[in-house]
Amino acid sequence: MVAVKRVLKKTTMAAAVGATLLAMASPALAEGKFASSFTGWAGGKESRSWKDSQADGAASQVRLAKCSWNGPGGAKEAAPVLALWHEVGGLPDDKVGGNKGFYGCGKGDVTNSWGKPGWSGNYHFTLQTQGADWYRYSAGWVGVWY
């Protein structure tokens, strides 16, 4: 009986550790998510769209990692700035919140949140123009939670 209790205790501990690691890896209660990357993007380039039904309490978040650009300092100085947009059919898209800078994503992963937008519909993010028109950004990994 004592051996069974030890096994159960170890199993419970392992499950708790696994659940904690999973919770840290992605935002809790997200309605949806996807992973991607981008290469050679200039300012104004849009991501793919996703549908957020606002059926949860989760914020819209983007995480970038392994960033680089062709500007001064190379990968270690890459600092793309993104904006989140709510797509409005037949009208200009609505910008959700302000621009978010991903400073340091050439050295590690950086996450930014726009909060919970509040409207059901399609969304995308756009790389904002920074300085010269010839600057190009890349991100080896992009995670989106909504």
Side-chain angles (χ1 to χ4, degrees):
M1 187 67 161
V2 172
V4 171
K5 285 183 180 179
R6 284 186 191 156
V7 169
L8 287 175
K9 186 175 181 180
K10 286 182 181 180
T11 304
T12 303
M13 287 280 275
V17 169
T20 300
L21 291 174
L22 182 60
M24 289 171 43
S26 64
L29 305 175
E31 179 180 321
K33 63 183 177 183
F34 65 89
S36 186
S37 64
F38 59 81
T39 304
W41 278 22
K45 180 74 175 167
E46 295 181 2
S47 71
R48 65 165 258 204
S49 296
W50 64 88
K51 178 155 181 64
D52 189 344
S53 300
Q54 299 297 313
D56 57 19
S60 295
Q61 296 185 7
V62 175
R63 181 177 296 160
L64 300 182
K66 302 178 187 172
C67 298
S68 63
W69 75 320
N70 64 343
K76 69 179 182 171
E77 297 300 324
V81 175
L82 304 180
L84 181 66
W85 297 87
H86 178 234
E87 299 173 2
V88 183
L91 298 170
D93 295 340
D94 287 331
K95 190 173 184 181
V96 179
N99 294 341
K100 301 290 182 172
F102 288 80
Y103 309 105
C105 70
K107 301 172 193 168
D109 65 322
V110 179
T111 302
N112 267 306
S113 172
W114 285 267
K116 185 175 177 180
W119 309 285
S120 178
N122 291 327
Y123 291 83
H124 67 271
F125 65 81
T126 303
L127 178 67
Q128 302 302 286
T129 302
Q130 298 170 18
D133 290 340
W134 61 83
Y135 288 154
R136 299 292 181 267
Y137 283 90
S138 299
W141 189 82
V142 178
V144 177
W145 292 266
Y146 53 92

